[in-house]
Amino acid sequence: MPSPQEARHVRSIEWFSKTTLTGDKADCTEVPENASVWGYVTSTRESCLGQECGFYEECFVVKARREAQAAEVVVVNHHLFLADLALREEGVAELLPNAGVVIFDEAHQLRDVATQFFGQSISTHQWHDLLRDILIEGRISARDAADWDTVLRPMDLCLKELRTELGRLNEVVRLPFGRLSDYPAIEQGIQAMGGHAETLFGVLSAIAERSEEWQKLTERTGECLAVWRQWLGLDPLENEVDTVRWLTLSPFMAQLSCSPMDVADTFSRCRGGEPRAWIFTSATLSVKNSLDHFNQSLGLEGAETSIWPSPFDYENQALLCVPQDGPNPKSPGFIDELCELLWPLIQASDGGVFFLCTTLRATAKVGKWLEQKNSENSLGWTVLVQGQAGKAEMLEQFRSSDKPLLVGSATFWEGVDVKGDALRLVIIDKIPFAPPDDPLVAARNDWLKDKGLSPFYEMAIPEAAIALKQGAGRLIRDETDQGVLVIGDRRLLTEGYGKTLWRSLPPFGRTRSVSEAVVRMQAIAARTQGRSE
């Protein structure tokens, strides 16, 4: 039986379905995006019946696809475009129409998104949704074929036991395949799921010809089982591309992934076929005034390239401070020491601050530190810490507050646009190197070493340079903006590779003195206060 809340959500969705023109569930604001009821009222690629569906002509996706096919200009995000490429690669009917010109904005994100779509994954959520759909269809159209509660019980119990073990985790963990044995109870559950899935697949195969619905459910089960077995190493992978097997464990889900080490060849192949122009743009594609790293990552060697200067007068609009006497970024007390060092500057700003951290742990620590200072000094600031609300809601609070300070990690380093006096100080705690123990990073490092290349200079430095430019780019968003940028990592000054990162940043005015930055900040804050009066 649905809970009272689920019943309310169903009524809201029913009303929304009759009034929306797009069917975009993000517009149904009365129902949270993570509400369980969405699983019962939405279809996925795996569960969609296509033209066999009784609601095919009314389907919002079908309508959107028809509109796209008839349009001269189609605007989509990277994920949808690459999903379309991946489907074409598999020989599935395309989602999007063919186009004479393809333009990617924020193209620096492409390699990571392509890694996701040119790989494969399976999660406990997908198994849960599959069991739910089988149970519903079994009760509707195949009561005579099996006692579905009994058939599904072994897998259902296995999933519940897995969720119990996952619930003991305190954080999200990303591991290479070989580290699964660190969690023996979870490893046992993952292996057991494969045996239960094989039994279920046999039951479904016997009734697959009953209807289109049962054929789809059988295919879904077979596809999930195939990925599961390939990930466990029981079956060979379907392609010969160098890949890495890894997993994500969270208190709510286990996801098994198999990702390509390099997407350049696959992306190049997907761009083949009908001739068309491909344009890639971003404010952060270059590293030390070169586009080589980006071109190599997507197999674009030989492409025509151009780099244009920014319209902003960075030298006069902003000051970059890398403190000469900054704390050691490898010290356990780094965050506390950095906050103390920058406290006069933060006070001088009187709000309008982004404090961008490289880890969630640092984000929480900085947030707590600022909240305590705000309370002790009765400053009346609005301290916003990532996780308190969604990204859009937090940005709206930031823009509407008088004296806001926002502390965030990766999600706020890019795709955030706050113009004018509302944002006048951006602090970045460290050089954003990818964590070396991340399974994808570690696997790519080994892959590069096998090729006789330096992972640090071929991958770590260019990727950090691009990420650092993204964070720094939050400060100046308009020709009249003014502000101060602080990068608290002294390695920019003390290490040889720091020059590459330093020279990849916009040509801000530069100082190593926090005191000089405070004077500049006081002038900017005074100007801001004068405007508000």
Side-chain angles (χ1 to χ4, degrees):
M1 290 293 291
S3 67
Q5 183 182 54
E6 288 175 327
R8 288 194 298 272
H9 287 165
V10 168
R11 287 194 294 271
S12 296
I13 294 172
E14 184 178 16
W15 173 254
F16 171 74
S17 69
K18 296 176 180 177
T19 56
T20 179
L21 297 177
T22 64
D24 188 343
K25 74 177 197 179
D27 295 335
C28 186
T29 55
E30 295 85 359
V31 182
E33 288 192 17
N34 61 352
S36 60
V37 72
W38 284 118
Y40 294 92
V41 299
T42 57
S43 293
T44 63
R45 170 193 160 199
E46 292 82 7
S47 62
C48 176
L49 296 176
Q51 296 185 21
E52 299 297 321
C53 176
F55 300 96
Y56 182 79
E57 295 298 327
E58 304 167 41
C59 176
F60 293 111
V61 174
V62 172
K63 291 178 180 178
R65 189 178 298 165
R66 286 172 178 167
E67 290 176 0
Q69 295 287 344
E72 294 184 356
V73 177
V74 180
V75 181
V76 298
N77 60 24
H78 294 177
H79 290 77
L80 181 56
F81 187 89
L82 287 171
D84 180 60
L85 283 187
L87 288 176
R88 294 180 189 223
E89 184 80 350
E90 296 173 12
V92 180
E94 64 271 11
L95 298 171
L96 302 172
N98 290 323
V101 180
V102 178
I103 303 174
F104 284 101
D105 191 20
E106 303 292 0
H108 63 278
Q109 302 172 348
L110 263 179
R111 191 202 65 178
D112 289 341
V113 179
T115 299
Q116 173 187 344
F117 279 97
F118 296 147
Q120 56 187 15
S121 65
I122 179 70
S123 72
T124 50
H125 276 347
Q126 286 173 267
W127 282 121
H128 178 271
D129 291 347
L130 177 59
L131 294 191
R132 179 202 61 213
D133 292 347
I134 292 172
L135 181 60
I136 291 173
E137 189 60 34
R139 289 175 174 175
I140 292 174
S141 67
R143 288 181 177 272
D144 62 312
D147 180 346
W148 293 104
D149 289 289
T150 301
V151 169
L152 300 176
R153 186 172 295 119
M155 282 191 73
D156 186 47
L157 289 175
C158 189
L159 280 173
K160 287 178 179 177
E161 290 170 0
L162 264 175
R163 284 198 295 269
T164 299
E165 293 300 325
L166 292 166
R168 303 183 197 280
L169 300 175
N170 296 318
E171 58 184 355
V172 176
V173 181
R174 287 161 59 99
L175 300 167
F177 170 78
R179 290 276 309 281
L180 177 58
S181 57
D182 293 355
Y183 302 84
I186 294 175
E187 179 182 30
Q188 182 179 356
I190 287 175
Q191 291 176 341
M193 279 292 296
H196 298 316
E198 288 181 359
T199 301
L200 178 61
F201 182 65
V203 173
L204 296 180
S205 298
I207 63 170
E209 295 182 357
R210 279 196 170 207
S211 66
E212 183 73 18
E213 287 86 352
W214 283 112
Q215 186 174 339
K216 273 283 186 181
L217 288 170
T218 305
E219 290 173 357
R220 281 174 65 187
T221 305
E223 289 169 2
C224 289
L225 177 58
V227 175
W228 201 266
R229 289 183 57 84
Q230 288 167 6
W231 191 88
L232 286 170
L234 301 175
D235 292 334
L237 295 171
E238 294 180 352
N239 56 58
E240 299 178 2
V241 176
D242 289 335
T243 57
V244 54
R245 288 180 289 164
W246 57 285
L247 67 157
T248 304
L249 304 178
S250 78
F252 311 103
M253 178 186 71
Q255 177 166 304
L256 317 182
S257 302
C258 187
S259 302
M261 295 287 191
D262 184 37
V263 297
D265 290 342
T266 304
F267 190 74
S268 295
R269 186 172 63 251
C270 288
R271 287 190 299 107
E274 296 185 14
R276 51 179 168 176
W278 296 73
I279 301 172
F280 304 86
T281 71
S282 174
T284 57
L285 286 186
S286 65
V287 177
K288 202 177 175 181
N289 211 39
S290 169
L291 295 170
D292 288 349
H293 176 73
F294 172 77
N295 288 345
Q296 290 167 7
S297 70
L298 291 176
L300 302 176
E301 294 90 341
E304 296 182 20
T305 62
S306 295
I307 300 175
W308 291 276
S310 168
F312 303 142
D313 182 3
Y314 284 113
E315 186 172 358
N316 292 308
Q317 287 184 250
L319 180 68
L320 165 60
C321 175
V322 180
Q324 180 72 53
D325 52 351
N328 182 352
K330 296 183 179 180
S331 166
F334 170 76
I335 286 295
D336 287 332
E337 294 175 42
L338 181 64
C339 288
E340 290 289 352
L341 177 66
L342 299 181
W343 177 236
L345 180 60
I346 296 171
Q347 283 183 299
S349 73
D350 199 27
V353 180
F354 269 15
F355 203 127
L356 303 178
C357 302
T358 49
T359 66
L360 289 172
R361 188 171 299 173
T363 298
K365 201 166 189 177
V366 172
K368 185 176 181 179
W369 194 93
L370 288 174
E371 287 170 345
Q372 185 174 346
K373 285 288 188 180
N374 185 36
S375 176
E376 290 174 352
N377 296 278
S378 302
L379 297 172
W381 293 345
T382 300
V383 180
L384 305 167
V385 184
Q386 181 175 329
Q388 293 175 340
K391 180 178 179 180
E393 184 179 343
M394 288 186 67
L395 286 173
E396 182 57 34
Q397 290 181 44
F398 185 91
R399 293 187 180 101
S400 60
S401 298
D402 184 32
K403 300 177 180 181
L405 293 87
L406 187 149
V407 188
S409 62
T411 188
F412 288 98
W413 283 62
E414 58 181 297
V416 174
D417 190 17
V418 180
K419 296 180 181 179
D421 298 331
L423 179 60
R424 46 190 177 268
L425 173 61
V426 172
I427 299 170
I428 295 174
D429 66 342
K430 292 183 182 181
I431 298 170
F433 287 121
D437 58 348
D438 180 277
L440 276 175
V441 174
R444 281 181 176 141
N445 286 348
D446 291 341
W447 183 70
L448 288 169
K449 287 177 184 176
D450 290 343
K451 293 178 175 292
L453 301 172
S454 166
F456 188 69
Y457 287 100
E458 293 291 332
M459 187 67 65
I461 291 296
E463 294 294 319
I466 291 172
L468 195 60
K469 287 171 68 175
Q470 282 291 329
R474 298 316 96 209
L475 182 62
I476 302 301
R477 310 297 298 174
D478 196 31
E479 293 178 354
T480 60
D481 286 358
Q482 290 194 16
V484 172
L485 168 68
V486 177
I487 301 176
D489 195 330
R490 69 188 189 191
R491 289 175 294 183
L492 278 172
L493 306 175
T494 61
E495 301 295 333
Y497 61 77
K499 292 181 180 179
T500 298
L501 301 173
W502 184 265
R503 292 170 182 170
S504 295
L505 290 167
F508 298 110
R510 302 190 176 187
T511 183
R512 299 180 180 182
S513 167
V514 174
S515 298
E516 184 178 342
V518 169
V519 172
R520 180 68 172 269
M521 192 73 261
Q522 288 171 334
I524 294 171
R527 185 199 69 161
T528 300
Q529 186 175 7
R531 284 184 176 181
S532 63
E533 294 175 352

